[in-house]
Each structure stands twice: as structure tokens, then as C-alpha cells.
Amino acid sequence: MKFRPFKSSFLSALTIITSLALTGLSLTGAHAHDKPIPRFSILGTGTIVTEPDIAYISTGIISEGETAEEALSKNSNSMAHVFDVLEEAGIERKHIQTSNFSVQPRYVHHRASSGDERRPPRIVAYEVNNTVTVKIVELENTGKIISEVVKFGSNSLGNIRFDVSNREQLMDKARVKAVADARRKAEIYTKAAGASLGKVLGISEGGAGRRPPQFKGVAKALPIAEAALAPVSGGEASISVRVNMTWELVQ
């Protein structure tokens, strides 16, 4: 029977033990490094309420003619008067933008009677629709401008939309309030749980989505010089921001 040298067996065993020890140290270090940090996350909301100072109105002309050329000519002449009225009211050309322009035939459909072949629809006229969106920076003139464009030919008036000129500045104020709201709520929860907040680990804006300015129904009528002017109310603009914040939780 042959025996392996003692020295060789000893060195092999020592190599195995050393490898296991190093592997164990490596695994222990990885687990220690990957140990999760206790976290606390919460949503904060900041809202700024203000009065709008900009209005957008949609106005235009719908004209008809026996031919497309005739309808277009009528429409162009009427829209020229509308542009003149807007300029006389102090609206700059850069604040007047064409939002819709179309030329469409108008058909008449024949009702089929018994024994008659079905006839195709016939064009009886053409309709031209030219609409512009007007930005009004002097909000107190909104009612006057609406009345004037209708008086001088506009027969199409869309919805009025209100906005604020300093939206980004108001958004920044809302962001500060949202962070303060998140911290306030976080401190309430952690104090009740017997813990405290550590360093901020993350912050993101939006949560479920960034909300555009919301206009509440608290109406404040704009000054109207004459009873014939269109009554317009701007209400209040509510601008909200939501932030999601995460802190290290100290037990």
C-alpha cells in the first residue's frame, strides 16, 4: 500500500481551508455592503392661488358661397375687419395666431323613393372657416374686445381660457411649499413611530403627474365700462406642484 507524503497532504488541506476562509470573508463583506438602509417616503403638495392676468379667446368668421372662391373672398374680407378691430384694441400681431382654417363643401342628400335609383349627394355651397386665437394681456379689455369683434363681423366665438404670465415663478413658489409640506408630514409620522429623519435620499417632482394650472370658480368680475360689453370673469388660478421625497430613517 502506498501513502501520499504528509507534507503534500498538509499543503493541500491548507489551500482548501485558506480558500474557504477567503470566500467567507468576501461573502461577509458583500452582505454587509448590501444591507438595506431604512427609508421613509412621502408625497408633498404645494399650491399657489392667484388671479389670472392673461386671457385667450378664439374668434373667427364662417362664410358661405356658391363656389369655394366666392366663400373664400367673403371670408377674407370679413377677417380683414376682425384683424383691424383687434389691432385698434391694442392687440399686437404676434398675439394673433391662426388656429383653424378650412374650406369644406356643403352637400344635400337626396332621399331615395321607391323605384328610383339612389343619386349621389350634390354640392350646394362651400363653407370657409377661419379662426384665430387671440392673447389678451390687458385682462380688463377682454369684454370690450369680444363685443367689438362680434360687432364687426365675427360669427364664431370659442371658449375663453385664462392663464398667468409668471407661471414659472409661481411654480417655483409652489415647489418650495411642496417640499415643506412633505417634510412636515414626514416629521409627524416619524415622531409618532419613535424615529427621526436622516439625510435626504431622493426627491422627484410630479408623483402621479404634474398638474397644469387649475382655475377655480371663485369669480371676480372684470371692470366693464358699458352695459353692452360682454360680461367676463377671470376667477382664480390655482397652481399646484407635487413632490415625492425620501429620507434615511433613523431608528
Side-chain angles (χ1 to χ4, degrees):
M1 180 182 292
K2 293 184 179 181
F3 295 95
R4 293 181 181 179
F6 174 77
K7 183 177 180 181
S8 176
S9 301
F10 174 77
L11 289 176
S12 299
L14 182 61
T15 301
I16 295 172
I17 293 172
T18 304
S19 299
L20 290 173
L22 289 174
T23 303
L25 288 173
S26 177
L27 290 174
T28 304
H31 285 307
H33 180 71
D34 295 336
K35 184 178 179 181
I37 301 173
R39 299 165 181 255
F40 179 82
S41 299
I42 199 166
L43 189 68
T45 303
T47 302
I48 300 293
V49 178
T50 185
E51 293 185 17
D53 58 356
I54 296 176
Y56 293 89
I57 64 170
S58 177
T59 185
I61 301 289
I62 300 176
S63 305
E64 279 193 2
E66 291 184 1
T67 64
E69 183 180 5
E70 179 186 348
L72 180 60
S73 177
K74 288 181 179 179
N75 190 277
S76 299
N77 291 332
S78 298
M79 280 302 295
H81 290 301
V82 171
F83 274 85
D84 290 340
V85 170
L86 292 173
E87 290 184 359
E88 289 176 5
I91 305 297
E92 299 181 41
R93 275 294 180 123
K94 66 179 181 179
H95 292 158
I96 305 173
Q97 183 180 50
T98 300
S99 54
N100 179 56
F101 186 90
S102 64
V103 180
Q104 298 288 341
R106 187 158 60 84
Y107 294 92
V108 61
H109 296 269
H110 300 281
R111 182 178 298 177
S113 58
S114 59
D116 293 339
E117 294 183 2
R118 185 174 182 179
R119 290 182 292 172
R122 180 170 58 91
I123 297 176
V124 294
Y126 286 86
E127 180 181 281
V128 175
N129 187 346
N130 190 351
T131 305
V132 294
T133 299
V134 182
K135 179 182 179 180
I136 303 174
V137 295
E138 295 179 357
L139 206 59
E140 65 275 8
N141 292 333
T142 305
K144 178 182 178 181
I145 291 172
I146 292 174
S147 298
E148 287 294 306
V149 294
V150 171
K151 178 181 177 181
F152 286 92
S154 177
N155 57 8
S156 174
L157 191 66
N159 294 330
I160 301 176
R161 180 171 63 89
F162 295 97
D163 205 345
V164 289
S165 58
N166 59 336
R167 182 187 300 182
E168 281 306 314
Q169 290 88 338
L170 296 175
M171 290 284 288
D172 288 344
K173 292 181 179 180
R175 290 182 177 107
V176 173
K177 294 184 70 173
V179 170
D181 179 60
R183 178 173 287 276
R184 178 186 62 82
K185 292 188 290 189
E187 289 176 347
I188 291 173
Y189 281 113
T190 52
K191 183 178 180 180
S196 60
L197 297 175
K199 62 182 179 180
V200 176
L201 298 177
I203 179 170
S204 61
E205 181 177 322
R210 175 174 167 174
R211 295 174 57 192
Q214 304 293 316
F215 296 95
K216 297 182 178 180
V218 182
K220 293 187 178 181
L222 302 176
I224 296 177
E226 302 175 19
L229 299 184
V232 177
S233 176
E236 290 184 341
S238 176
I239 300 177
S240 296
V241 171
R242 291 181 291 180
V243 295
N244 189 16
M245 296 190 66
T246 302
W247 287 269
E248 180 180 358
L249 189 62
V250 180
Q251 300 281 347

